[in-house]
Amino acid sequence: MSSQLMEVKVPDIGDTKDVPVIEVHVKAGDLVALDQALITLESDKATMDIPSPAAGVVQTVQLKVGERASEGMTVLMLKPNASSAIPTDQPSAASDLALSTNNAASPPTSPPIALSLASATSTAPSAITVAAPATVANYATETPVSATQSLPTSVGHASPSVRKFARELGVDISKVSGSGPKGRVTQNDVQLFVKNAMQGQHEHGNPITRGSSDLNLLPWPKIDFSKFGPIQVQALPRIKKLSAANLARNWVMIPAVTYHEEADITELEAFRLRVNKEQEKSGIKLTALAFLIKICAVALKKFPEFNASLDGDNLVLKQYMHIGFAADTPNGLLVPVIRDVD
């Protein structure tokens, strides 16, 4: 068996085709263990690992991150260890997978493997074609093991939506500790990772800047714009520096929600125009924003949980209605706060 090469292929993954490869866990020369994750596929419904059908050494890897894989495509060529026992009386392919983002089934203890021996026509090693079963990533698997490593280490597994959330924040999902079932990484885990990273920088007196190593962000490139043409350098006003830092922090830490609702404002608009005409000489002009802020105050009073903040494990319900709105001013973005709008 040690003289034969094993061709590991993408198994039956249901009706899904052209599934993006989001992670390749091994490279040529790596020593892999039985059932160790080789690549990770991410469909619209679930993240799936393609495990190794045997222990051995990776010879070549055929798929790369960003490529799309379908059933039957070659994942890699594997030279199994002499001690690796490969069953030959198993079903031809993995059974249909029940893909679920939230509750994925645990992997079978003895994954079915399909083998077909190619007859050797020369002294070259013969090849074994293997359709390895895909497993929905809802549990902790191992990372690649090189020839110099003895034990694999664990990597984070999460649903597609959580992986996307982590990518948007520039977080390496493998560095996040999962609190979900069997070590699954949740969105709260990602948010906590970012929060801890930012708090750690503040505790050491360091500002949060682009290229933070804790958030695994690429450093902001240093470009000499003068080589492209004439430039003028101006010092950034203090208010813009503060705005940038706060907006960047809030974008990372606060979930962004947009809600749309249709309403008939015919009478409201007629009232607004009438008031503006009456106040024309005073220079006072009402816009729709004033009414929207008032409407928000009424809604917050009716649904107090929207007027709340998290403090550890406690929900702080606020009895006041102070609402801020963004205003573009000559000095930069300002947020005036109107107190007691209600």
Side-chain angles (χ1 to χ4, degrees):
M1 183 64 66
S2 60
S3 63
Q4 295 173 329
L5 290 181
M6 178 184 297
E7 184 180 11
V8 182
K9 293 189 174 184
V10 177
D12 179 5
I13 52 178
D15 297 330
T16 308
K17 296 181 180 180
D18 297 328
V19 183
V21 179
I22 62 169
E23 289 183 71
V24 176
H25 302 288
V26 296
K27 63 182 182 298
D30 281 351
L31 177 66
V32 297
L34 175 66
D35 292 335
Q36 179 179 324
L38 303 176
I39 64 171
T40 302
L41 308 178
E42 183 178 79
S43 70
D44 293 337
K45 298 180 180 179
T47 302
M48 298 168 285
D49 282 340
I50 306 300
S52 177
V57 179
V58 176
Q59 301 299 300
T60 59
V61 180
Q62 307 296 328
L63 292 177
K64 300 178 181 179
V65 173
E67 293 183 342
R68 293 181 176 272
S70 300
E71 179 183 351
M73 291 184 63
T74 301
V75 177
L76 53 77
M77 298 298 294
L78 181 71
K79 184 178 181 180
N81 293 338
S83 60
S84 296
I86 304 178
T88 58
D89 57 348
Q90 298 292 341
S92 60
S95 59
D96 291 341
L97 297 173
L99 303 181
S100 170
T101 302
N102 296 321
N103 296 304
S106 298
T109 55
S110 300
I113 301 173
L115 305 177
S116 62
L117 296 178
S119 59
T121 57
S122 66
T123 57
S126 57
I128 304 175
T129 301
V130 179
T135 56
V136 179
N138 190 27
Y139 56 93
T141 58
E142 290 111 4
T143 52
V145 180
S146 66
T148 59
Q149 291 177 312
S150 58
L151 291 174
T153 56
S154 100
V155 296
H157 284 274
S159 67
S161 60
V162 173
R163 287 179 176 273
K164 180 181 179 182
F165 179 67
R167 287 197 297 269
E168 289 175 348
L169 300 183
V171 174
D172 184 352
I173 197 75
S174 66
K175 296 182 179 180
V176 181
S177 299
S179 63
K182 299 183 179 179
R184 190 178 184 86
V185 177
T186 66
Q187 183 167 321
N188 286 338
D189 294 330
V190 177
Q191 290 176 322
L192 182 61
F193 177 85
V194 175
K195 183 178 180 180
N196 289 339
M198 297 180 72
Q199 287 179 341
Q201 287 187 334
H202 280 303
E203 288 171 0
H204 292 86
N206 299 323
I208 303 301
T209 59
R210 288 183 176 133
S212 164
S213 58
D214 289 338
L215 294 182
N216 196 33
L217 299 178
L218 291 174
W220 194 256
K222 183 67 176 178
I223 302 174
D224 181 12
F225 295 101
S226 62
K227 67 182 181 181
F228 304 115
I231 64 171
Q232 180 183 4
V233 178
Q234 292 182 347
L236 198 63
R238 181 175 179 274
I239 189 170
K240 289 188 177 181
K241 291 180 181 179
L242 294 173
S243 298
N246 282 277
L247 288 173
R249 178 202 61 199
N250 294 348
W251 175 258
V252 171
M253 297 302 299
I254 302 175
V257 178
T258 302
Y259 177 76
H260 297 275
E261 186 75 47
E262 292 186 359
D264 185 354
I265 62 168
T266 303
E267 294 183 12
L268 186 149
E269 182 65 9
F271 172 76
R272 187 184 71 84
L273 294 175
R274 185 171 69 252
V275 171
N276 282 343
K277 189 173 183 179
E278 295 172 355
Q279 301 291 332
E280 191 172 4
K281 293 182 179 180
S282 65
I284 296 175
K285 184 178 181 180
L286 277 176
T287 67
L289 180 63
F291 298 96
L292 291 175
I293 292 177
K294 185 69 175 180
I295 292 169
C296 286
V298 175
L300 290 174
K301 183 169 288 188
K302 188 173 183 179
F303 303 99
E305 287 193 350
F306 283 94
N307 190 26
S309 294
L310 282 173
D311 182 14
D313 294 331
N314 297 321
L315 191 65
V316 180
L317 298 171
K318 300 158 189 174
Q319 304 299 318
Y320 49 84
M321 307 291 169
H322 303 338
I323 299 180
F325 66 94
D328 184 16
T329 75
N331 293 324
L333 183 67
L334 293 178
V335 182
V337 177
I338 305 177
R339 298 185 178 276
D340 301 316
V341 179
D342 56 317

